[in-house]
Amino acid sequence: PDPAKQTCHISGLDVVLAGICWMTSAGCCFLFFIGFCGEVPIADISEQGRKVVVTTTIAHQFVKSRKGREVTFHNTRVPDLEKGPWKVSASSSFQLILHVDVDQME
């Protein structure tokens, strides 16, 4: 600014930096929203031994951990699967293992 404080000059670098910060913030908010409210299409539900394995058509992005995550299922045409939240753990980026007794699903 000039000494009389009548004009203001904005540096082009400040505009670029502000744009980058805005795009980064918007991207993080989008990923946060998708992570908590996202849907993953199911390709197959199968029984492997005493485990129920859900295979997804796209990578589900659950991290392999000892602690199970809770998920709900909708529009699966399997009424028992849609009853409530289920604990799952990731066995690969396309497969989830339901923490349920197979007898409960029949």
Side-chain angles (χ1 to χ4, degrees):
D2 62 353
K5 298 187 187 227
Q6 294 179 356
T7 61
C8 182
H9 300 282
I10 298 174
S11 169
L13 187 58
D14 289 341
V15 173
V16 170
L17 184 61
I20 290 171
C21 289
W22 181 83
M23 288 173 34
T24 302
S25 297
C28 288
C29 289
F30 175 74
L31 291 175
F32 179 78
F33 178 74
I34 292 299
F36 283 104
C37 302
E39 295 181 358
V40 178
I42 295 174
D44 184 47
I45 301 168
S46 61
E47 183 179 333
Q48 295 179 1
R50 299 290 298 164
K51 297 179 183 177
V52 176
V53 178
V54 178
T55 305
T56 59
T57 57
I58 60 174
H60 52 68
Q61 304 304 323
F62 281 133
V63 177
K64 289 184 182 180
S65 67
R66 296 193 186 279
K67 173 171 86 166
R69 309 268 188 225
E70 272 195 4
V71 298
T72 55
F73 297 97
H74 303 282
N75 302 324
T76 62
R77 292 179 279 177
V78 180
D80 289 338
L81 198 57
E82 297 178 11
K83 284 185 178 174
W86 297 93
K87 292 264 187 193
V88 297
S89 59
S91 64
S92 72
S93 58
F94 288 92
Q95 289 188 329
L96 298 170
I97 297 174
L98 256 58
H99 295 204
V100 64
D101 188 16
V102 176
D103 298 332
Q104 287 180 319
M105 296 299 293
E106 294 175 2

